[in-house]
Amino acid sequence: MLKDIVLVLALQLVYVPILTLRTIFMVKNMSLLAAFMGFLEALIYVFGLSIVFSGEQSYIVMIVYAAGFGAGLFIGGYIEQKLAIGYTTVTVNLQQKNQELIHLLRESGYGVTVYTGEGRDSQRYRLDILTKRNREEELLELIERYEPKAFIISYEPRRFKGGFLVASMKKRVKRKKECHES
């Protein structure tokens, strides 16, 4: 029975992160990866359930199955944060136009669009920045260092077309192809 408990826990600690990644890949339109993860998920799921429901139907094994599921969710979330797949849009509202920050962001490879708007008491400045998710923390730290009072909103865009980031990605892909052909 101890062998079953350890095996069920190990299966859950692999199964649930795979389930998490499959869901993320589906949401991000990465269908081939999602299908592969779904295949692995189904194999592990059936194998794990067969252990839980075979033999003496131990409550301990069932509890370990549920605990492993919870721990697997935690691990899956951690893996997703580390992979940081996709992009994020950051909107920064400033009271003054901080030309130094804008220049630094652009020099650091961020595409920045600046808008002037009318706030309640004065003119405001909005920066729209699209970046890869794995650079979001770096971006937020830069903004915080130069504009600690900035109002910041970040969200994940589902789809985008054109602009600085797309153009720079296309240039990078083209350069890589040229390097491999040489």
Side-chain angles (χ1 to χ4, degrees):
M1 177 145 106
L2 182 60
K3 181 185 91 177
D4 286 350
I5 290 172
V6 171
L7 188 56
V8 165
L9 181 62
L11 286 171
Q12 285 297 82
L13 293 178
V14 173
Y15 164 73
V16 179
I18 288 174
L19 179 148
T20 303
L21 291 174
R22 181 204 28 100
T23 304
I24 291 163
F25 291 147
M26 284 300 294
V27 169
K28 305 270 184 197
N29 281 334
M30 301 170 84
S31 300
L32 284 175
L33 277 172
F36 177 70
M37 291 295 180
F39 172 77
L40 291 177
E41 179 186 336
L43 279 176
I44 295 168
Y45 181 75
V46 169
F47 187 66
L49 278 183
S50 71
I51 293 169
V52 171
F53 291 120
S54 68
E56 53 198 61
Q57 305 273 319
S58 165
Y59 289 113
I60 295 171
V61 174
M62 289 181 205
I63 290 169
V64 167
Y65 182 88
F69 191 90
L73 284 173
F74 181 79
I75 292 168
Y78 179 79
I79 291 170
E80 192 281 329
Q81 284 180 331
K82 291 300 175 190
L83 288 175
I85 299 166
Y87 295 86
T88 188
T89 298
V90 177
T91 301
V92 183
N93 290 298
L94 307 172
Q95 292 180 350
Q96 283 91 32
K97 188 174 185 179
N98 187 331
Q99 214 45 63
E100 183 182 10
L101 173 62
I102 294 165
H103 177 75
L104 179 66
L105 291 171
R106 288 178 174 156
E107 288 297 309
S108 298
Y110 298 104
V112 181
T113 303
V114 181
Y115 300 92
T116 304
E118 187 177 317
R120 187 185 74 185
D121 299 323
S122 65
Q123 220 174 29
R124 300 282 188 224
Y125 299 91
R126 186 179 87 200
L127 312 180
D128 280 354
I129 307 162
L130 177 68
T131 186
K132 288 187 165 193
R133 277 191 56 220
N134 61 5
R135 292 193 68 200
E136 183 177 10
E137 281 306 312
E138 173 190 342
L139 171 63
L140 294 175
E141 287 170 11
L142 269 173
I143 295 166
E144 180 67 27
R145 190 175 333 133
Y146 285 83
E147 283 291 338
K149 293 183 179 179
F151 176 70
I152 302 169
I153 302 169
S154 71
Y155 54 93
E156 284 189 56
R158 277 214 20 92
R159 185 175 298 176
F160 55 89
K161 177 183 171 211
F164 169 80
L165 191 61
V166 173
S168 66
M169 286 188 298
K170 286 180 182 177
K171 286 179 188 174
R172 237 179 279 134
V173 169
K174 187 177 177 182
R175 277 190 295 229
K176 282 183 182 178
K177 283 182 182 177
E178 290 170 354
C179 288
H180 290 300
E181 292 172 358
S182 307

